[in-house]
PDB file of all heavy atoms in Angstrom:
ATOM      1  N   TRP A  39      79.580  97.608  95.139  1.00 97.00           N
ATOM      2  CA  TRP A  39      78.475  98.404  95.668  1.00 97.00           C
ATOM      3  C   TRP A  39      78.359  98.169  97.168  1.00 97.00           C
ATOM      4  O   TRP A  39      78.362  97.042  97.636  1.00 97.00           O
ATOM      5  CB  TRP A  39      77.163  98.021  94.971  1.00 97.00           C
ATOM      6  CG  TRP A  39      75.964  98.794  95.432  1.00 97.00           C
ATOM      7  CD1 TRP A  39      75.887 100.141  95.636  1.00 97.00           C
ATOM      8  CD2 TRP A  39      74.661  98.267  95.727  1.00 97.00           C
ATOM      9  NE1 TRP A  39      74.622 100.489  96.041  1.00 97.00           N
ATOM     10  CE2 TRP A  39      73.840  99.361  96.103  1.00 97.00           C
ATOM     11  CE3 TRP A  39      74.110  96.981  95.705  1.00 97.00           C
ATOM     12  CZ2 TRP A  39      72.501  99.204  96.464  1.00 97.00           C
ATOM     13  CZ3 TRP A  39      72.776  96.828  96.059  1.00 97.00           C
ATOM     14  CH2 TRP A  39      71.985  97.923  96.430  1.00 97.00           C
ATOM     15  N   GLN A 209      74.258  93.861  82.023  1.00 98.00           N
ATOM     16  CA  GLN A 209      74.239  93.564  83.460  1.00 98.00           C
ATOM     17  C   GLN A 209      72.842  93.860  83.996  1.00 98.00           C
ATOM     18  O   GLN A 209      72.330  94.973  83.844  1.00 98.00           O
ATOM     19  CB  GLN A 209      75.286  94.395  84.208  1.00 98.00           C
ATOM     20  CG  GLN A 209      75.367  94.040  85.688  1.00 98.00           C
ATOM     21  CD  GLN A 209      76.459  94.786  86.429  1.00 98.00           C
ATOM     22  OE1 GLN A 209      76.227  95.358  87.490  1.00 98.00           O
ATOM     23  NE2 GLN A 209      77.662  94.785  85.890  1.00 98.00           N
ATOM     24  N   VAL A 210      72.233  92.833  84.621  1.00 98.00           N
ATOM     25  CA  VAL A 210      70.872  92.978  85.146  1.00 98.00           C
ATOM     26  C   VAL A 210      70.723  92.189  86.441  1.00 98.00           C
ATOM     27  O   VAL A 210      71.523  91.307  86.747  1.00 98.00           O
ATOM     28  CB  VAL A 210      69.810  92.479  84.134  1.00 98.00           C
ATOM     29  CG1 VAL A 210      69.672  93.412  82.953  1.00 98.00           C
ATOM     30  CG2 VAL A 210      70.109  91.055  83.684  1.00 98.00           C
ATOM     31  N   GLU A 211      69.660  92.492  87.173  1.00 98.00           N
ATOM     32  CA  GLU A 211      69.327  91.725  88.371  1.00 98.00           C
ATOM     33  C   GLU A 211      68.854  90.326  87.968  1.00 98.00           C
ATOM     34  O   GLU A 211      67.961  90.179  87.124  1.00 98.00           O
ATOM     35  CB  GLU A 211      68.223  92.449  89.152  1.00 98.00           C
ATOM     36  CG  GLU A 211      67.815  91.739  90.439  1.00 98.00           C
ATOM     37  CD  GLU A 211      66.726  92.477  91.202  1.00 98.00           C
ATOM     38  OE1 GLU A 211      66.443  93.660  90.892  1.00 98.00           O
ATOM     39  OE2 GLU A 211      66.153  91.855  92.128  1.00 98.00           O
ATOM     40  N   LEU A 212      69.460  89.317  88.555  1.00 98.00           N
ATOM     41  CA  LEU A 212      69.112  87.926  88.256  1.00 98.00           C
ATOM     42  C   LEU A 212      69.311  87.065  89.504  1.00 98.00           C
ATOM     43  O   LEU A 212      70.376  87.118  90.127  1.00 98.00           O
ATOM     44  CB  LEU A 212      70.002  87.351  87.149  1.00 98.00           C
ATOM     45  CG  LEU A 212      69.670  87.619  85.685  1.00 98.00           C
ATOM     46  CD1 LEU A 212      70.770  87.049  84.810  1.00 98.00           C
ATOM     47  CD2 LEU A 212      68.339  86.997  85.296  1.00 98.00           C
ATOM     48  N   HIS A 213      68.304  86.282  89.852  1.00 98.00           N
ATOM     49  CA  HIS A 213      68.377  85.330  90.962  1.00 98.00           C
ATOM     50  C   HIS A 213      67.170  84.419  90.829  1.00 98.00           C
ATOM     51  O   HIS A 213      66.304  84.647  89.947  1.00 98.00           O
ATOM     52  CB  HIS A 213      68.397  86.063  92.314  1.00 98.00           C
ATOM     53  CG  HIS A 213      67.417  87.188  92.413  1.00 98.00           C
ATOM     54  ND1 HIS A 213      66.056  86.984  92.546  1.00 98.00           N
ATOM     55  CD2 HIS A 213      67.581  88.540  92.361  1.00 98.00           C
ATOM     56  CE1 HIS A 213      65.428  88.145  92.594  1.00 98.00           C
ATOM     57  NE2 HIS A 213      66.327  89.116  92.475  1.00 98.00           N
ATOM     58  N   PRO A 214      67.023  83.381  91.639  1.00 98.00           N
ATOM     59  CA  PRO A 214      65.902  82.458  91.448  1.00 98.00           C
ATOM     60  C   PRO A 214      64.513  83.073  91.602  1.00 98.00           C
ATOM     61  O   PRO A 214      63.536  82.476  91.128  1.00 98.00           O
ATOM     62  CB  PRO A 214      66.153  81.373  92.503  1.00 98.00           C
ATOM     63  CG  PRO A 214      67.638  81.326  92.620  1.00 98.00           C
ATOM     64  CD  PRO A 214      68.049  82.776  92.542  1.00 98.00           C
ATOM     65  N   LEU A 215      64.384  84.220  92.234  1.00 98.00           N
ATOM     66  CA  LEU A 215      63.087  84.890  92.286  1.00 98.00           C
ATOM     67  C   LEU A 215      62.847  85.771  91.065  1.00 98.00           C
ATOM     68  O   LEU A 215      61.735  86.282  90.868  1.00 98.00           O
ATOM     69  CB  LEU A 215      62.977  85.741  93.562  1.00 98.00           C
ATOM     70  CG  LEU A 215      63.026  84.995  94.895  1.00 98.00           C
ATOM     71  CD1 LEU A 215      62.907  85.967  96.063  1.00 98.00           C
ATOM     72  CD2 LEU A 215      61.929  83.933  94.978  1.00 98.00           C
ATOM     73  N   LEU A 216      63.886  85.975  90.251  1.00 98.00           N
ATOM     74  CA  LEU A 216      63.796  86.797  89.029  1.00 98.00           C
ATOM     75  C   LEU A 216      64.711  86.150  87.976  1.00 98.00           C
ATOM     76  O   LEU A 216      65.850  86.561  87.782  1.00 98.00           O
ATOM     77  CB  LEU A 216      64.228  88.242  89.310  1.00 98.00           C
ATOM     78  CG  LEU A 216      64.146  89.218  88.142  1.00 98.00           C
ATOM     79  CD1 LEU A 216      62.689  89.464  87.721  1.00 98.00           C
ATOM     80  CD2 LEU A 216      64.821  90.547  88.496  1.00 98.00           C
ATOM     81  N   THR A 233      75.756  89.587  82.826  1.00 98.00           N
ATOM     82  CA  THR A 233      76.245  89.618  84.201  1.00 98.00           C
ATOM     83  C   THR A 233      75.044  89.741  85.131  1.00 98.00           C
ATOM     84  O   THR A 233      74.195  90.616  84.949  1.00 98.00           O
ATOM     85  CB  THR A 233      77.195  90.797  84.436  1.00 98.00           C
ATOM     86  OG1 THR A 233      78.344  90.659  83.610  1.00 98.00           O
ATOM     87  CG2 THR A 233      77.635  90.867  85.894  1.00 98.00           C
ATOM     88  N   ALA A 234      74.988  88.872  86.123  1.00 98.00           N
ATOM     89  CA  ALA A 234      73.910  88.884  87.104  1.00 98.00           C
ATOM     90  C   ALA A 234      74.338  89.677  88.331  1.00 98.00           C
ATOM     91  O   ALA A 234      75.382  89.390  88.919  1.00 98.00           O
ATOM     92  CB  ALA A 234      73.555  87.458  87.515  1.00 98.00           C
ATOM     93  N   PHE A 235      73.543  90.687  88.704  1.00 98.00           N
ATOM     94  CA  PHE A 235      73.791  91.321  89.997  1.00 98.00           C
ATOM     95  C   PHE A 235      72.698  90.912  90.978  1.00 98.00           C
ATOM     96  O   PHE A 235      71.643  90.429  90.596  1.00 98.00           O
ATOM     97  CB  PHE A 235      73.948  92.843  89.888  1.00 98.00           C
ATOM     98  CG  PHE A 235      72.715  93.655  89.599  1.00 98.00           C
ATOM     99  CD1 PHE A 235      71.769  93.906  90.582  1.00 98.00           C
ATOM    100  CD2 PHE A 235      72.525  94.237  88.352  1.00 98.00           C
ATOM    101  CE1 PHE A 235      70.644  94.688  90.334  1.00 98.00           C
ATOM    102  CE2 PHE A 235      71.407  95.025  88.079  1.00 98.00           C
ATOM    103  CZ  PHE A 235      70.460  95.246  89.070  1.00 98.00           C
ATOM    104  N   SER A 236      72.980  91.081  92.250  1.00 97.00           N
ATOM    105  CA  SER A 236      72.070  90.673  93.328  1.00 97.00           C
ATOM    106  C   SER A 236      71.755  89.183  93.251  1.00 97.00           C
ATOM    107  O   SER A 236      70.597  88.759  93.374  1.00 97.00           O
ATOM    108  CB  SER A 236      70.781  91.512  93.309  1.00 97.00           C
ATOM    109  OG  SER A 236      71.058  92.863  93.573  1.00 97.00           O
ATOM    110  N   SER A 237      72.796  88.370  93.090  1.00 98.00           N
ATOM    111  CA  SER A 237      72.603  86.922  92.992  1.00 98.00           C
ATOM    112  C   SER A 237      71.990  86.319  94.253  1.00 98.00           C
ATOM    113  O   SER A 237      71.421  85.223  94.199  1.00 98.00           O
ATOM    114  CB  SER A 237      73.942  86.236  92.712  1.00 98.00           C
ATOM    115  OG  SER A 237      74.408  86.561  91.424  1.00 98.00           O
ATOM    116  N   PHE A 238      72.123  87.008  95.389  1.00 97.00           N
ATOM    117  CA  PHE A 238      71.552  86.509  96.639  1.00 97.00           C
ATOM    118  C   PHE A 238      70.148  87.055  96.884  1.00 97.00           C
ATOM    119  O   PHE A 238      69.583  86.860  97.956  1.00 97.00           O
ATOM    120  CB  PHE A 238      72.461  86.849  97.819  1.00 97.00           C
ATOM    121  CG  PHE A 238      73.864  86.313  97.692  1.00 97.00           C
ATOM    122  CD1 PHE A 238      74.948  87.046  98.168  1.00 97.00           C
ATOM    123  CD2 PHE A 238      74.107  85.091  97.089  1.00 97.00           C
ATOM    124  CE1 PHE A 238      76.245  86.550  98.056  1.00 97.00           C
ATOM    125  CE2 PHE A 238      75.394  84.584  96.966  1.00 97.00           C
ATOM    126  CZ  PHE A 238      76.473  85.324  97.451  1.00 97.00           C
ATOM    127  N   GLY A 239      69.602  87.762  95.900  1.00 96.00           N
ATOM    128  CA  GLY A 239      68.244  88.256  96.019  1.00 96.00           C
ATOM    129  C   GLY A 239      68.113  89.410  96.988  1.00 96.00           C
ATOM    130  O   GLY A 239      68.718  90.462  96.819  1.00 96.00           O
ATOM    131  N   ALA A 240      67.333  89.207  98.035  1.00 94.00           N
ATOM    132  CA  ALA A 240      66.936  90.293  98.941  1.00 94.00           C
ATOM    133  C   ALA A 240      68.058  90.831  99.809  1.00 94.00           C
ATOM    134  O   ALA A 240      67.950  91.928 100.368  1.00 94.00           O
ATOM    135  CB  ALA A 240      65.797  89.802  99.843  1.00 94.00           C
ATOM    136  N   GLU A 241      69.159  90.078  99.954  1.00 92.00           N
ATOM    137  CA  GLU A 241      70.156  90.368 100.997  1.00 92.00           C
ATOM    138  C   GLU A 241      70.666  91.810 100.988  1.00 92.00           C
ATOM    139  O   GLU A 241      70.868  92.409 102.038  1.00 92.00           O
ATOM    140  CB  GLU A 241      71.334  89.401 100.879  1.00 92.00           C
ATOM    141  CG  GLU A 241      70.960  87.934 100.997  1.00 92.00           C
ATOM    142  CD  GLU A 241      70.303  87.583 102.318  1.00 92.00           C
ATOM    143  OE1 GLU A 241      70.823  87.975 103.377  1.00 92.00           O
ATOM    144  OE2 GLU A 241      69.252  86.917 102.286  1.00 92.00           O
ATOM    145  N   SER A 242      70.909  92.370  99.807  1.00 88.00           N
ATOM    146  CA  SER A 242      71.488  93.719  99.734  1.00 88.00           C
ATOM    147  C   SER A 242      70.475  94.818 100.006  1.00 88.00           C
ATOM    148  O   SER A 242      70.848  95.989 100.118  1.00 88.00           O
ATOM    149  CB  SER A 242      72.103  93.949  98.347  1.00 88.00           C
ATOM    150  OG  SER A 242      73.203  93.100  98.129  1.00 88.00           O
ATOM    151  N   TYR A 243      69.201  94.460 100.120  1.00 95.00           N
ATOM    152  CA  TYR A 243      68.162  95.478 100.104  1.00 95.00           C
ATOM    153  C   TYR A 243      67.442  95.660 101.436  1.00 95.00           C
ATOM    154  O   TYR A 243      66.614  96.557 101.572  1.00 95.00           O
ATOM    155  CB  TYR A 243      67.146  95.154  98.987  1.00 95.00           C
ATOM    156  CG  TYR A 243      67.815  95.132  97.635  1.00 95.00           C
ATOM    157  CD1 TYR A 243      68.222  93.935  97.055  1.00 95.00           C
ATOM    158  CD2 TYR A 243      68.092  96.315  96.957  1.00 95.00           C
ATOM    159  CE1 TYR A 243      68.867  93.907  95.827  1.00 95.00           C
ATOM    160  CE2 TYR A 243      68.733  96.304  95.729  1.00 95.00           C
ATOM    161  CZ  TYR A 243      69.123  95.100  95.167  1.00 95.00           C
ATOM    162  OH  TYR A 243      69.770  95.089  93.949  1.00 95.00           O
ATOM    163  N   LEU A 255      66.540  84.425 100.095  1.00 97.00           N
ATOM    164  CA  LEU A 255      66.910  83.199  99.383  1.00 97.00           C
ATOM    165  C   LEU A 255      67.951  82.416 100.167  1.00 97.00           C
ATOM    166  O   LEU A 255      67.974  81.191 100.133  1.00 97.00           O
ATOM    167  CB  LEU A 255      67.455  83.539  97.995  1.00 97.00           C
ATOM    168  CG  LEU A 255      66.417  83.801  96.904  1.00 97.00           C
ATOM    169  CD1 LEU A 255      67.080  84.388  95.665  1.00 97.00           C
ATOM    170  CD2 LEU A 255      65.654  82.534  96.553  1.00 97.00           C
ATOM    171  N   LEU A 276      73.513  79.406  95.266  1.00 98.00           N
ATOM    172  CA  LEU A 276      72.924  80.467  94.447  1.00 98.00           C
ATOM    173  C   LEU A 276      73.884  80.931  93.354  1.00 98.00           C
ATOM    174  O   LEU A 276      73.468  81.165  92.211  1.00 98.00           O
ATOM    175  CB  LEU A 276      72.515  81.638  95.342  1.00 98.00           C
ATOM    176  CG  LEU A 276      71.358  81.344  96.303  1.00 98.00           C
ATOM    177  CD1 LEU A 276      71.208  82.456  97.329  1.00 98.00           C
ATOM    178  CD2 LEU A 276      70.046  81.141  95.535  1.00 98.00           C
ATOM    179  N   LEU A 277      75.151  81.045  93.683  1.00 98.00           N
ATOM    180  CA  LEU A 277      76.130  81.463  92.674  1.00 98.00           C
ATOM    181  C   LEU A 277      76.341  80.369  91.633  1.00 98.00           C
ATOM    182  O   LEU A 277      76.507  80.652  90.443  1.00 98.00           O
ATOM    183  CB  LEU A 277      77.448  81.843  93.348  1.00 98.00           C
ATOM    184  CG  LEU A 277      77.409  83.090  94.230  1.00 98.00           C
ATOM    185  CD1 LEU A 277      78.737  83.261  94.971  1.00 98.00           C
ATOM    186  CD2 LEU A 277      77.093  84.338  93.410  1.00 98.00           C
ATOM    187  N   TRP A 279      74.134  78.136  90.665  1.00 98.00           N
ATOM    188  CA  TRP A 279      72.957  78.186  89.788  1.00 98.00           C
ATOM    189  C   TRP A 279      73.154  79.237  88.694  1.00 98.00           C
ATOM    190  O   TRP A 279      72.865  79.003  87.519  1.00 98.00           O
ATOM    191  CB  TRP A 279      71.722  78.497  90.626  1.00 98.00           C
ATOM    192  CG  TRP A 279      70.459  78.734  89.842  1.00 98.00           C
ATOM    193  CD1 TRP A 279      69.601  77.785  89.345  1.00 98.00           C
ATOM    194  CD2 TRP A 279      69.916  80.011  89.479  1.00 98.00           C
ATOM    195  NE1 TRP A 279      68.565  78.402  88.690  1.00 98.00           N
ATOM    196  CE2 TRP A 279      68.730  79.765  88.757  1.00 98.00           C
ATOM    197  CE3 TRP A 279      70.315  81.330  89.684  1.00 98.00           C
ATOM    198  CZ2 TRP A 279      67.926  80.787  88.245  1.00 98.00           C
ATOM    199  CZ3 TRP A 279      69.541  82.358  89.177  1.00 98.00           C
ATOM    200  CH2 TRP A 279      68.351  82.081  88.460  1.00 98.00           C
ATOM    201  N   VAL A 287      78.873  86.389  87.518  1.00 98.00           N
ATOM    202  CA  VAL A 287      78.377  86.808  88.827  1.00 98.00           C
ATOM    203  C   VAL A 287      79.363  87.765  89.491  1.00 98.00           C
ATOM    204  O   VAL A 287      80.572  87.656  89.308  1.00 98.00           O
ATOM    205  CB  VAL A 287      78.099  85.608  89.755  1.00 98.00           C
ATOM    206  CG1 VAL A 287      76.924  84.800  89.239  1.00 98.00           C
ATOM    207  CG2 VAL A 287      79.328  84.726  89.912  1.00 98.00           C
ATOM    208  N   ILE A 288      78.817  88.698  90.271  1.00 98.00           N
ATOM    209  CA  ILE A 288      79.643  89.728  90.918  1.00 98.00           C
ATOM    210  C   ILE A 288      79.198  89.928  92.368  1.00 98.00           C
ATOM    211  O   ILE A 288      78.848  91.043  92.768  1.00 98.00           O
ATOM    212  CB  ILE A 288      79.594  91.057  90.140  1.00 98.00           C
ATOM    213  CG1 ILE A 288      78.136  91.438  89.810  1.00 98.00           C
ATOM    214  CG2 ILE A 288      80.418  90.972  88.859  1.00 98.00           C
ATOM    215  CD1 ILE A 288      77.964  92.840  89.246  1.00 98.00           C
ATOM    216  N   PRO A 289      79.205  88.869  93.187  1.00 98.00           N
ATOM    217  CA  PRO A 289      78.744  89.022  94.569  1.00 98.00           C
ATOM    218  C   PRO A 289      79.636  89.966  95.363  1.00 98.00           C
ATOM    219  O   PRO A 289      80.859  89.958  95.223  1.00 98.00           O
ATOM    220  CB  PRO A 289      78.828  87.600  95.123  1.00 98.00           C
ATOM    221  CG  PRO A 289      79.907  86.945  94.310  1.00 98.00           C
ATOM    222  CD  PRO A 289      79.735  87.519  92.925  1.00 98.00           C
ATOM    223  N   LYS A 290      79.004  90.758  96.212  1.00 96.00           N
ATOM    224  CA  LYS A 290      79.747  91.629  97.117  1.00 96.00           C
ATOM    225  C   LYS A 290      80.084  90.853  98.388  1.00 96.00           C
ATOM    226  O   LYS A 290      79.268  90.089  98.903  1.00 96.00           O
ATOM    227  CB  LYS A 290      78.914  92.864  97.450  1.00 96.00           C
ATOM    228  CG  LYS A 290      79.559  93.807  98.466  1.00 96.00           C
ATOM    229  CD  LYS A 290      78.805  93.783  99.779  1.00 96.00           C
ATOM    230  CE  LYS A 290      79.410  94.739 100.788  1.00 96.00           C
ATOM    231  NZ  LYS A 290      78.735  94.696 102.109  1.00 96.00           N
ATOM    232  N   ARG A 323      60.214  88.748  90.899  1.00 97.00           N
ATOM    233  CA  ARG A 323      60.389  89.710  91.996  1.00 97.00           C
ATOM    234  C   ARG A 323      61.665  90.502  91.771  1.00 97.00           C
ATOM    235  O   ARG A 323      62.779  89.995  91.886  1.00 97.00           O
ATOM    236  CB  ARG A 323      60.456  88.975  93.332  1.00 97.00           C
ATOM    237  CG  ARG A 323      60.816  89.860  94.542  1.00 97.00           C
ATOM    238  CD  ARG A 323      59.782  90.938  94.800  1.00 97.00           C
ATOM    239  NE  ARG A 323      59.929  91.540  96.108  1.00 97.00           N
ATOM    240  CZ  ARG A 323      60.363  92.792  96.315  1.00 97.00           C
ATOM    241  NH1 ARG A 323      60.708  93.555  95.276  1.00 97.00           N
ATOM    242  NH2 ARG A 323      60.453  93.275  97.540  1.00 97.00           N
ATOM    243  N   PHE A 325      63.989  93.485  93.026  1.00 97.00           N
ATOM    244  CA  PHE A 325      64.269  94.308  94.195  1.00 97.00           C
ATOM    245  C   PHE A 325      64.788  95.692  93.801  1.00 97.00           C
ATOM    246  O   PHE A 325      64.494  96.677  94.458  1.00 97.00           O
ATOM    247  CB  PHE A 325      65.276  93.606  95.112  1.00 97.00           C
ATOM    248  CG  PHE A 325      64.762  92.334  95.706  1.00 97.00           C
ATOM    249  CD1 PHE A 325      65.163  91.107  95.211  1.00 97.00           C
ATOM    250  CD2 PHE A 325      63.839  92.361  96.745  1.00 97.00           C
ATOM    251  CE1 PHE A 325      64.672  89.927  95.751  1.00 97.00           C
ATOM    252  CE2 PHE A 325      63.333  91.191  97.292  1.00 97.00           C
ATOM    253  CZ  PHE A 325      63.755  89.959  96.785  1.00 97.00           C
ATOM    254  N   ASN A 326      65.575  95.736  92.733  1.00 97.00           N
ATOM    255  CA  ASN A 326      66.188  96.992  92.289  1.00 97.00           C
ATOM    256  C   ASN A 326      65.357  97.567  91.143  1.00 97.00           C
ATOM    257  O   ASN A 326      65.662  97.372  89.970  1.00 97.00           O
ATOM    258  CB  ASN A 326      67.630  96.727  91.839  1.00 97.00           C
ATOM    259  CG  ASN A 326      68.436  98.005  91.721  1.00 97.00           C
ATOM    260  OD1 ASN A 326      67.934  99.037  91.286  1.00 97.00           O
ATOM    261  ND2 ASN A 326      69.699  97.940  92.105  1.00 97.00           N
TER     262      ASN A 326
END
Side-chain angles (χ1 to χ4, degrees):
W39 181 45
Q209 184 176 131
V210 288
E211 181 180 347
L212 277 175
H213 44 73
L215 297 180
L216 182 67
T233 297
F235 72 76
S236 296
S237 292
F238 302 144
E241 301 300 312
S242 294
Y243 300 97
L255 278 169
L276 293 169
L277 293 173
W279 173 83
V287 292
I288 48 171
K290 176 249 181 183
R323 173 63 165 110
F325 295 103
N326 195 322

